[in-house]
Amino acid sequence: MPCRSASFRSSSWASSAPNSLRAHKMWRDLLLVYGAYVLTAGSPGPSTMGIMGVAMRDGRRPAAAMAAGVVTTSFAWGLIAAMGLATLIVRYAQALVLLKIAGGAYLLWHAFKSAQSAMRSDTGSVPVAAGEARFASVRS
């Protein structure tokens, strides 16, 4: 009997069993992550609501341009993650600090431009809906 047990341990199945279990677990985990990605990508989020808002307010072309921007940005983030740039940022913490500072400056610039625009606008007038603006000269 001891010979049989020794031959079982040296068989190819016994040595490949841990690898096949590891591969099975890896595929299961990848399927779980992919399922979560599909679920979140298909659910409406802020970008979808923004695209719908632009479509209702400005029409099809500006909404298509915004959708193209959202898709391009999503692709870029996916590419960044696939290339492992997150690992580089973790390894070089100074790059993350610089990225945070640049992002903060970018947001401040947008806040400044928004405040400038708000100060310039005429607060006494009531905005006219797009449909009413076309017929304003006809009514007068």
Side-chain angles (χ1 to χ4, degrees):
M1 247 356 190
C3 273
R4 186 172 179 197
S5 137
S7 66
F8 175 75
R9 274 189 242 130
S10 66
S11 72
S12 64
W13 182 84
S15 63
S16 68
N19 289 335
S20 66
L21 290 175
R22 203 172 314 143
H24 176 72
K25 184 180 180 325
M26 181 190 71
W27 283 108
R28 188 189 66 196
D29 291 345
L30 283 175
L31 186 62
L32 179 69
V33 169
Y34 184 71
Y37 170 75
V38 168
L39 184 68
T40 56
S43 65
S47 60
T48 305
M49 297 302 154
I51 293 167
M52 288 190 320
V54 168
M56 289 186 282
R57 186 182 62 237
D58 299 329
R60 183 181 293 175
R61 275 202 177 148
M66 185 172 177
V70 167
V71 168
T72 303
T73 305
S74 296
F75 178 75
W77 277 112
L79 191 61
I80 287 169
M83 289 174 36
L85 290 180
T87 306
L88 289 175
I89 289 175
V90 168
R91 183 171 173 122
Y92 301 106
Q94 297 86 3
L96 182 60
V97 170
L98 290 175
L99 186 63
K100 286 179 180 179
I101 291 170
Y106 180 71
L107 290 175
L108 287 173
W109 180 76
H110 274 291
F112 175 73
K113 296 303 264 180
S114 178
Q116 254 187 344
S117 176
M119 295 291 195
R120 266 189 267 135
S121 70
D122 187 11
T123 58
S125 66
V126 176
V128 178
E132 292 177 14
R134 282 185 262 163
F135 300 109
S137 62
V138 175
R139 288 186 208 153
S140 307

